[in-house]
Amino acid sequence: PGTGSDAFTLYYSTFYKTWVFNRTAVDATSNPVYIRNIATVVNPPLNVWTHLTGVFDTKGDTDPKNDTISLLVNGRPQGPPIVASSAAPPYTPWTASGGLEFGRSKVGGVNGEYFKGRIDEVAAWQRALTPDEVVQEARLETGDVNAPEPAVELVADWDATRATSGSGQIADWSN
């Protein structure tokens, strides 16, 4: 988050009834301007694991006119990349002052819009991934699940019954 809004937001929109990846054009406490890449499939199924990827690409230079955002759902691009300066002429590259957050967003300087679901297997990269790299990241890596490609990789299997704590809460996992 910045002072007034989030630099990026990856979320389910009840308005669009699908997944959205936003880049905020400027850090504003009122009337934020969003650059959006909206998933092509509306009303995605409930209770289904979905691999979401938001990509911000500066093309490795300082020219803001070629900065793009892309949304990929289950490894599939949701339309062509959106050119930030074309989608929102007030676009000015900015860096958020706060740390990376999950499960909420900041609008008008106020945190809210809490995600009502499960978030797992989060990864943040310091460069823009290509669509092929996103497909590789979304691949199923275990041989015991029969799922179509792309699927998601099982990276953890936490069972709270293995935890130890006097209060019944999950303690530090040292294994």
Side-chain angles (χ1 to χ4, degrees):
T3 303
S5 56
D6 291 318
F8 301 96
T9 315
L10 181 60
Y11 64 103
Y12 177 81
S13 168
T14 55
F15 179 80
Y16 293 108
K17 301 197 182 325
T18 194
W19 301 107
V20 176
F21 180 52
N22 280 352
R23 168 72 165 137
T24 309
V26 296
D27 186 14
T29 54
S30 62
N31 302 317
V33 175
Y34 298 111
I35 302 150
R36 289 191 173 98
N37 193 307
I38 302 169
T40 55
V41 175
V42 295
N43 298 316
L46 297 174
N47 302 315
V48 173
W49 178 255
T50 305
H51 188 273
L52 301 173
T53 306
V55 177
F56 174 61
D57 191 356
T58 65
K59 309 294 187 260
D61 61 31
T62 59
D63 182 5
K65 291 186 175 109
N66 63 9
D67 292 358
T68 62
I69 64 166
S70 300
L71 171 65
L72 295 92
V73 178
N74 293 328
R76 293 179 183 88
Q78 301 298 295
I82 306 295
V83 178
S85 62
S86 297
Y91 170 69
T92 304
W94 65 281
T95 302
S97 56
L100 186 60
E101 295 184 346
F102 301 97
R104 71 177 183 183
S105 65
K106 185 182 242 183
V107 178
V110 178
N111 290 319
E113 300 179 339
Y114 296 95
F115 180 68
K116 297 174 183 150
R118 295 180 181 168
I119 300 172
D120 190 21
E121 200 174 329
V122 175
W125 295 76
Q126 296 302 310
R127 63 177 177 82
L129 297 184
T130 67
D132 287 341
E133 289 173 318
V134 172
V135 168
Q136 184 65 28
E137 181 70 16
R139 287 191 56 212
L140 179 67
E141 296 293 337
T142 60
D144 60 340
V145 178
N146 208 355
E149 294 285 342
V152 290
E153 174 183 356
L154 179 63
V155 296
D157 180 16
W158 292 2
D159 180 354
T161 62
R162 295 187 306 235
T164 58
S165 175
S167 65
Q169 296 178 348
I170 297 176
D172 183 27
W173 294 60
S174 58
N175 54 351

